[in-house]
Amino acid sequence: MPFPPPPRPLLGPRRRSLLASAAGAALLVGCSTDGDGSGTTGGSESAAEHARARAATDSETLLQRYDAVLAAHPTLADRLDPLRAEVVRHAAAFGAGSSGGGSTASSSPSASASASASSAPVAAAPGDALADLATAERALADRRARALLDLPGELARLLASVAAAGAAHAYLLTEGAK
């Protein structure tokens, strides 16, 4: 009968424990690398930056439409100035730099309207101009709502908020005309 091996004092982790720990750590690192890898994150950062730049450009274009309507129909200023000021803030939130400051929201429409009036045709009747502006707000809000599905958290929340504001602007522009 063979003698059993003498009991060894446990001075540290056993080889099996170390191998199991190493394998588990490799799996965890592999999982976290796949989730946070430079290819995936770099792509989403690039997509996020592209979406942010597009949102800024869209807000600036919408701002130009507001300016053109205000230049063609100055009697609508009381109604459009608060909505225009919001569009200025939206452009700034997305990082737009050339849209004008929020503090000059009521004074800059006349300054920039001459440059943008030729690029965005304005209806002759104030009601039609408001309807066109509402259509532009609604189309942009819908496009932003579709785009936010592919964006990371904070940018998606910002885009959702601005899309909701755009939908509210469209409602205010159409319902006020009734």
Side-chain angles (χ1 to χ4, degrees), residues 26-45 152:
L27 285 174
L28 289 175
V29 170
C31 291
S32 64
T33 301
D34 290 341
D36 295 333
S38 61
T40 305
T41 302
S44 25
E45 285 178 11

Side-chain angles (χ1 to χ4, degrees), residues 28 32 40-41 57 70-71 82 103 113-114 130 133 141 144 147 154 163 169:
L28 289 175
S32 64
T40 305
T41 302
T57 301
L70 284 166
S103 62
S114 60
L130 288 176
L133 199 52
R144 285 176 169 168
E154 189 63 31
H169 290 181

Side-chain angles (χ1 to χ4, degrees), residues 62 66 83 90 134 136-142 144-145 159-175:
L62 185 60
Y66 270 92
L83 300 178
H90 297 161
E137 283 272 17
R138 190 175 300 109
L140 182 55
D142 290 346
R144 285 176 169 168
L159 201 61
S161 176
V162 173
H169 290 181
Y171 174 80
L172 292 171
L173 290 166
T174 56
E175 290 302 311

Side-chain angles (χ1 to χ4, degrees), residues 2-177:
F3 291 106
R8 296 184 303 170
L10 295 175
L11 298 175
R14 295 183 155 216
R15 184 172 33 178
R16 284 186 202 151
S17 299
L18 286 175
L19 289 175
S21 297
L27 285 174
L28 289 175
V29 170
C31 291
S32 64
T33 301
D34 290 341
D36 295 333
S38 61
T40 305
T41 302
S44 25
E45 285 178 11
S46 175
E49 288 306 313
H50 176 69
R52 184 180 291 277
R54 171 150 181 145
T57 301
D58 288 345
S59 292
E60 289 178 324
T61 301
L62 185 60
L63 181 62
Q64 291 174 354
R65 291 196 68 149
Y66 270 92
D67 290 345
V69 170
L70 284 166
H73 304 288
T75 57
L76 297 174
D78 289 343
R79 185 167 177 191
L80 294 181
D81 280 346
L83 300 178
R84 183 191 178 279
E86 287 295 315
V87 173
V88 169
R89 284 190 280 277
H90 297 161
F94 290 119
S98 63
S99 63
S103 62
T104 61
S106 61
S107 64
S108 79
S110 60
S112 61
S114 60
S116 63
S118 61
S119 64
V122 178
D128 292 340
L130 288 176
D132 291 346
L133 199 52
T135 300
E137 283 272 17
R138 190 175 300 109
L140 182 55
D142 290 346
R143 190 169 60 239
R144 285 176 169 168
R146 284 189 303 274
L148 67 91
L149 297 174
D150 300 325
L151 298 176
E154 189 63 31
L155 183 56
R157 284 187 289 276
L158 176 61
L159 201 61
S161 176
V162 173
H169 290 181
Y171 174 80
L172 292 171
L173 290 166
T174 56
E175 290 302 311

